[in-house]
Amino acid sequence: MKGLAIRNQRAFASGALFLAFAIFFFLVALEYPAGTAAKMGPGYFPRMLAIVLAAIGLVVMLGAIKPGASREALRQWDLKGLAWITGSVVLFGALLFPLGLVGALFVLIMVSSKASPEFTWTGALTNAAVLIVLCLAVFVYGLGLPLPVWPSLFN
């Protein structure tokens, strides 16, 4: 009898990551009262999302071990890309109040775009313009979040 073999390591790792996040967020949500479906507490929605995420993770993991799954090895982590993305988020947090949302988003998008091997200045600038407009429309004008839009020297 043959044992279960992980045919698609990449999909299996993705599913395991989904499952790990689901367990973490479910455990965190246990600290809040769940309430009922008719009267939801603050822990109800995170628990439901964690259950859905866990189900997705299990389905992905099972799909990676079924006999018809494509064979795909787990690739090495792209540490350089991870550093660009993490650094851009840290920069965004540090620059939000001195540069405002527009400046901080511009820096975030340009720096994180360097993580892609397909980076082009035209693509990054176009992406920045579209995402800045969308973020302003949603977060500042739609939701009314009190974020500084422009650098503090303009206020």
Side-chain angles (χ1 to χ4, degrees), residues 12-142:
F12 190 84
S14 298
L17 191 62
F18 287 176
L19 187 60
F21 276 118
I23 291 169
F24 172 77
F25 285 111
F26 188 84
L27 292 175
V28 170
L30 286 177
E31 296 181 16
Y32 302 103
T36 63
K39 190 174 181 181
M40 295 179 197
Y44 188 88
F45 194 65
R47 287 181 195 176
M48 292 301 118
L49 284 180
I51 290 170
V52 170
L53 186 61
I56 291 171
L58 287 174
V59 167
V60 171
M61 289 171 70
L62 289 175
I65 61 172
K66 71 180 182 182
S70 62
R71 290 197 177 272
E72 189 171 344
L74 191 61
R75 289 187 282 176
Q76 190 174 16
W77 283 40
D78 181 12
L79 295 177
K80 183 179 166 189
L82 185 64
W84 279 111
I85 300 282
T86 304
S88 69
V89 173
V90 170
L91 271 174
F92 175 80
L95 297 175
L96 179 60
F97 288 102
L99 290 184
L101 187 62
V102 173
L105 277 174
F106 183 78
V107 171
L108 169 80
I109 294 164
M110 298 309 287
V111 172
S112 64
S113 295
K114 292 291 287 178
S116 172
E118 301 168 1
F119 173 82
T120 62
W121 284 105
T122 305
L125 290 170
T126 304
N127 193 18
V130 170
L131 290 176
I132 288 170
V133 168
L134 282 174
C135 286
L136 287 174
V138 171
F139 295 113
V140 175
Y141 302 112

